[in-house]
Each structure stands twice: as C-alpha cells, then as structure tokens.
Amino acid sequence: MNLVDRAFGASEFSDAEEPGIFTWELATDKVYADSALANLFGLDPEQTLTGLPVVRYLDRIHPDDKPSVAKAISESVITGNPYRCDYRVFDRSGQIVAVAALGRCFRDEDGNPSQYAGIVFPTNDHVQQDALSAHCSAALKIARSSGLQATADALEAILKELAKPMPSDVAQVH
C-alpha cells in the first residue's frame, strides 16, 4: 500500500476516474505527473514521474480541443489567473475521455512564471465534486505535512476553484 492509499484509506475513485495531479516546470518544459494522469493521457507512468515535455500531453488532447486548451493555459501563464477547462483526451487504448482541468501558474521572486500545477479528472462518469474536493483536501494535508509548499498552494487554489460554479463562458465538451 502506498503513501497516498494509507493517507486516504481505500481509494474513493476507480482507476478510470481517479484525478491526476501534475506540476510543470516552465524553465525545463518538464511536466511531472502521477500515474493517474499518465493513465488519463495514455502515457507511460514511469516517464510521467520523471518528467515529460508538455507537448507530449498536448499531443494526447483531441485535435478539436487543442487550440482552446493551449490558449487557456497560455493565458493562465501570462496572467497568473487560475485555469479551468473541459476537453477530451485519448487514453492508452485510444478511447476518448472527457476531462476537466484546474490549474494555476506560480511565479518566482522576480515575478516570472516558474511553475504550473494542477489537477485533471475524468468527467465521463460524472465524478462527484464532493469526492474530488475531499481527495484534494486530503492531498493538501499531505503536501503541507511534507513541506511541499508549491503543491499545497496549487491544491488550495484548486479547492477554491472547485467551490465556484463553472463560468458560463467556458465551453463544455461532451
């Protein structure tokens, strides 16, 4: 049983609906992600743990959704505002999975964008937002107790976003 399983007890999510957590180091263009995100995007979990270029993730996004996702991420990096977007990805078997993503870009001491962190979760099975909030809250406790401040900051921002209703200007992908 791994640290996360011990912290959460039995997982509230099946493998197909588990939210994935990531951090993107902008200076190196490496995205570090957990196995849940690897599964959602059809990527090798060992490679996601050691970091992959962001383009490897963008390549797994449905072609019709890629421009709007890239634009939303770019705007978040530029403005520092939270990112929230619904889109489709291709899993390992090539099946389309509808996902929702929440993230935020963090800046260094000089105000330059340095890290981008977030969470992506499948929406095909209508994952309950309360369960996702509980999952993020538990992850926040782990991040704080482990001294992972950037991750804790990202999770706090995600929890705030989860508490908000979906903006009407965000296109829903079905």
Side-chain angles (χ1 to χ4, degrees):
M1 183 177 284
N2 67 31
L3 176 65
V4 173
D5 289 338
R6 284 194 303 267
F8 295 128
S11 177
E12 296 178 43
F13 302 98
S14 72
D15 287 343
E17 63 183 18
E18 183 177 353
I21 299 171
F22 69 91
T23 300
W24 176 23
E25 296 283 339
L26 277 70
T28 62
D29 189 38
K30 280 207 169 188
V31 176
Y32 299 90
D34 62 9
S35 61
L37 197 71
N39 290 333
L40 280 173
F41 281 76
L43 297 168
D44 181 320
E46 288 182 26
Q47 290 180 339
T48 62
L49 288 172
T50 58
L52 289 170
V54 73
V55 71
R56 292 284 305 275
Y57 292 87
L58 293 174
D59 286 345
R60 305 298 299 167
I61 295 173
H62 192 283
D64 293 344
D65 301 337
K66 202 177 296 190
S68 62
V69 171
K71 181 181 180 204
I73 292 170
S74 177
E75 286 176 1
S76 179
V77 169
I78 291 167
T79 66
N81 292 331
Y83 159 88
R84 185 171 183 160
C85 195
D86 292 303
Y87 55 95
R88 297 163 292 179
V89 297
F90 295 101
D91 68 10
R92 180 162 281 140
S93 67
Q95 295 297 308
I96 294 174
V97 179
V99 298
L102 302 150
R104 171 167 243 153
C105 185
F106 295 91
R107 299 184 177 319
D108 63 18
E109 303 81 35
D110 297 323
N112 299 313
S114 63
Q115 291 185 350
Y116 190 97
I119 186 167
V120 180
F121 56 95
T123 57
N124 283 350
D125 296 327
H126 305 291
V127 175
Q128 294 295 320
Q129 203 164 17
D130 290 343
L132 182 60
S133 292
H135 182 80
C136 288
S137 293
L140 175 59
K141 288 178 187 174
I142 292 170
R144 282 183 178 151
S145 68
S146 301
L148 302 171
Q149 192 57 48
T151 301
D153 291 345
L155 287 164
E156 285 176 348
I158 289 165
L159 284 165
K160 287 179 185 174
E161 285 300 306
L162 284 171
K164 295 179 184 177
M166 271 300 272
S168 59
D169 60 344
V170 175
Q172 297 288 327
V173 176
H174 298 286

